Amino acid sequence: MDWRDTGILLGTRKHGETSVILEAFTPAHGRHLGVLRGGTSRKLAPHLQPGAQLDLAWRARLEDHIGSFTAEPQRSRAAAALGDRLALAGLNAVTALLAFSLPEREPHPALYDRSEKLLDLLGHRDLWPLAYLQWELALLEELGFGLDLTSCAVTGATEGLAYVSPKSGRAVTAKGAGDWADRLLPLPPVLLGEGEATDSEILEALATTGYFMENRLAPELRDRPLPAARAALIARLTARVVP
C-alpha cells in the first residue's frame, strides 16, 4: 500500500533513536500517522515544525499498519509565527485542534483547504482573528456540530437574532428567548457575518463556539478536555483587547 499527498504537519514525537512518529493532515487521506526515519537528523528536524507544508509519501505492507513516511519540505510557516505571539498561539491552536478533533484516515478536503488558507494568513494581525473564528465554525460544521443561525428556533424569525441555544445550536431572538435569555449563549453580529468584527466581538463569538467544542465535540470525540493551546490563543487575543 502506498500513496503520495501534500500535508500540514500537526506534530511529531520521538520514535527510537533517530526516527519520529509524524502526524499530518492531508486533503485526500485525512489525519494520518507514520514513522519518519531520520526525523531527528540535522537535515530534517528543523523543517518538522507544526504547520509546515510537506510533500509526503506513505508506504505500508498492509493498509491498517502505521507505515512509514518520506517527507520533503514545501514551505515553513514558522517564520510568520515566531515573531508574533498571537500568530504563534494561533498556529498552535489550529494544529492542536486538528490533531484532537479529526478521526484518523478520514478525508476532509474542504476543511483541509480552509485550514491551509487560514495558516497562510499567519502574520496578518488584522485579518487572522476573524478568519480563525470562521475556521472554528467550519470545524464544528464539518464534524457534525454546526450551528444553525439562519432563523429563530422558537419564532422562525430571521431578524433580531440575539442568542444561541446551548442545546440545539440554533439562533433565538430576544422575543423568543423570553425569561430564558440568561440561559442562552450570546450571538454577536460577527457570527452572522455582520458588523465590524472587532476583537471584543470575536472573543464573545469564540466563547460561543468554545461552548460547543467543550460540551459537544470534545465529549463525543475524545472524552477529554480541549487542547490547552486553544485557551492560550484566547488569552493572547484577550491581552490584545485589554493590555
Side-chain angles (χ1 to χ4, degrees):
M1 303 295 299
D2 62 273
W3 53 256
R4 185 172 180 177
D5 205 350
T6 187
I8 297 167
L9 178 62
L10 302 182
T12 62
R13 62 179 185 269
K14 193 171 181 182
H15 179 71
E17 291 298 319
T18 61
S19 300
V20 299
I21 302 293
L22 184 148
E23 182 176 17
F25 180 29
T26 70
H29 301 89
R31 182 176 68 88
H32 213 290
L33 284 76
V35 176
L36 178 63
R37 293 180 175 82
T40 62
S41 68
R42 292 181 180 180
K43 178 182 178 181
L44 277 178
H47 300 287
L48 300 181
Q49 303 300 320
Q53 198 77 25
L54 302 173
D55 179 15
L56 296 166
W58 179 84
R59 175 171 292 182
R61 189 169 62 86
L62 296 175
E63 187 175 1
D64 60 352
H65 287 183
I66 189 171
S68 60
F69 274 127
T70 58
E72 292 292 334
Q74 291 181 322
R75 67 181 183 276
S76 171
R77 296 183 173 96
L82 290 178
D84 184 330
R85 291 183 178 181
L86 179 63
L88 181 59
L91 173 62
N92 289 337
V94 171
T95 53
L97 282 171
L98 288 170
F100 176 86
S101 302
L102 294 178
E104 192 175 351
R105 303 190 181 190
E106 182 178 291
H108 291 275
L111 181 63
Y112 176 87
D113 185 61
R114 292 193 72 119
S115 301
E116 186 177 58
K117 290 176 178 176
L118 175 66
L119 291 175
D120 286 342
L121 283 177
L122 284 171
H124 295 267
R125 294 174 62 87
D126 294 337
L127 301 176
W128 206 87
L130 176 58
Y132 175 81
L133 169 63
Q134 294 169 339
W135 177 84
E136 278 205 351
L137 287 168
L139 178 65
L140 287 169
E141 180 71 30
E142 185 80 9
L143 297 177
F145 303 94
L147 308 186
D148 181 355
L149 308 179
T150 56
S151 62
C152 176
V154 179
T155 68
T158 57
E159 301 291 332
L161 303 174
Y163 302 101
V164 179
S165 166
K167 290 187 177 180
S168 68
R170 293 193 60 190
V172 182
T173 62
K175 181 179 179 180
D179 295 337
W180 293 83
D182 61 348
R183 302 186 185 185
L184 302 178
L185 302 169
L187 176 51
V190 67
L191 274 179
L192 299 171
E194 302 170 356
E196 297 181 3
T198 63
D199 285 351
S200 295
E201 270 197 12
I202 290 170
L203 280 168
E204 188 177 26
L206 286 171
T208 295
T209 57
Y211 175 88
F212 290 97
M213 287 191 163
E214 292 171 5
N215 295 280
R216 297 288 188 272
L217 184 149
E220 182 74 19
L221 299 182
R222 291 287 182 268
D223 197 25
R224 64 175 188 262
L226 290 177
R230 185 184 186 273
L233 171 61
I234 301 300
R236 182 57 56 191
L237 188 56
T238 301
R240 192 166 88 160
V241 174
V242 185

